[in-house]
Amino acid sequence: MPDIDVYRRELAAAFRLAAKFDFNEGICNHFSVQVPGAEERYLFNPYGVHWSEMRPADLLLVDGQGQILEGEGELEATARNIHIAGHRANPRHLCLLHTHMPWATSLTMIEGGRLEMAHQTATRFHGRTAYNDEFGGFASGEKEGERIASTAKSDRKADIVFLAHHGIIVGGPSVATAFDDLYYLDRACRQQVLAMSTGRPLKLIPQQVIESTAREWMNVLDHQAKLHFEALMRIEGL
């Protein structure tokens, strides 16, 4: 099991890489990692630190009540409410990434918006995607955090949750796998929105092919994610 310093390094790298790919929105949005152990502990980004400058030492270590155990700075309320409830809703998700990245968020802004199985990349998310079709405003209170988390709690197979009028949450068993899903989700949504912008109907993949291609994705998912994340960290000197 990795020690906390490994999680700090990986999570800080995920923030800086996310900024590189334009997944961030100002100093808003948040990533978290649940640190394995008997006690409930999480790593979060402090409010006010830009993702492009995030360092391992910047990350806050907090308990299950959102109290800061290590680090300096503020834990933003919506981060606390969305992520702690989200980790509890699906313990399989060691890492949770919440963004308003434009291509994916655009699908939460249209009536009946769904990630359609019209491209090979989209099939990666077949059977792993859920939708929260109501918007409750800022998650400034625990109630809204719990409402958002209820989607993941009711569908334990879902690693991707689209939040109506809001953004997305990606959960994974490691920082590498969650970030890889975030990266490919951005690509899948961009491909779909560009295709939709032609005004022509999407040409969907046959169901049998969707399912077989999704299985192929799952056979390599974690291994590919590890290699991709390591490569990105090398390129950026992280």
Side-chain angles (χ1 to χ4, degrees):
M1 182 182 297
D3 62 29
I4 192 170
D5 289 337
V6 173
Y7 291 119
R8 284 185 177 276
R9 177 172 175 263
E10 291 180 346
L11 190 60
F15 280 111
R16 296 180 70 168
L17 290 167
K20 174 184 174 65
F21 292 118
D22 197 28
F23 297 161
N24 62 310
E25 188 172 64
I27 57 169
C28 301
N29 303 167
H30 9 81
F31 294 174
S32 63
V33 166
Q34 182 165 13
V35 180
E39 299 178 0
E40 191 177 13
R41 298 181 301 161
Y42 304 95
L43 289 172
F44 278 94
N45 51 307
Y47 188 53
V49 178
H50 196 273
W51 290 13
S52 65
E53 62 179 347
M54 197 71 66
R55 303 285 180 177
D58 292 326
L59 298 171
L60 303 176
L61 181 68
V62 308
D63 64 17
Q65 284 69 51
Q67 299 299 310
I68 298 174
L69 303 175
E70 294 178 11
E72 297 182 3
E74 175 188 354
L75 176 61
E76 202 263 332
T78 63
R80 178 189 66 239
N81 294 328
I82 291 173
H83 285 252
I84 292 179
H87 282 290
R88 290 172 178 171
N90 192 339
R92 184 168 58 82
H93 291 155
L94 180 82
C95 179
L96 286 177
L97 312 179
H98 171 53
T99 79
H100 299 169
M101 56 187 192
W103 299 104
T105 299
S106 66
L107 295 183
T108 75
M109 299 163 57
I110 59 177
E111 192 68 39
R114 295 291 186 264
L115 178 63
E116 303 291 354
M117 298 294 109
H119 188 274
Q120 172 181 288
T121 303
T123 64
R124 173 189 178 109
F125 304 105
H126 173 65
R128 304 175 57 218
T129 304
Y131 299 87
N132 189 308
D133 287 325
E134 297 180 8
F135 177 61
F138 285 118
S140 301
E142 292 184 9
K143 185 176 180 180
E144 178 62 9
E146 293 287 349
R147 190 194 67 78
I148 290 172
S150 67
T151 303
K153 189 172 184 179
S154 63
D155 186 354
R156 295 294 180 91
K157 293 181 180 180
D159 295 318
I160 315 298
V161 179
F162 284 80
L163 307 174
H165 312 289
H166 187 169
I168 53 94
I169 297 175
V170 173
S174 67
V175 176
T177 298
F179 189 85
D180 206 53
D181 270 340
L182 190 74
Y183 174 89
Y184 279 101
L185 181 67
D186 175 72
R187 293 301 181 101
C189 293
R190 177 168 61 176
Q191 289 153 352
Q192 179 175 325
V193 173
L194 288 172
M196 291 168 64
S197 71
T198 68
R200 301 287 299 278
L202 293 173
K203 182 179 180 180
L204 301 182
I205 300 170
Q207 187 65 29
Q208 184 177 357
V209 181
I210 293 171
E211 294 174 0
S212 62
T213 309
R215 286 194 295 270
E216 291 183 82
W217 271 114
M218 295 309 296
N219 287 337
V220 300
L221 190 71
D222 290 331
H223 180 62
Q224 175 182 288
K226 180 176 182 292
L227 295 178
H228 184 205
F229 194 65
E230 289 175 349
L232 290 172
M233 291 175 70
R234 283 196 306 273
I235 292 169
E236 297 301 314
L238 301 172

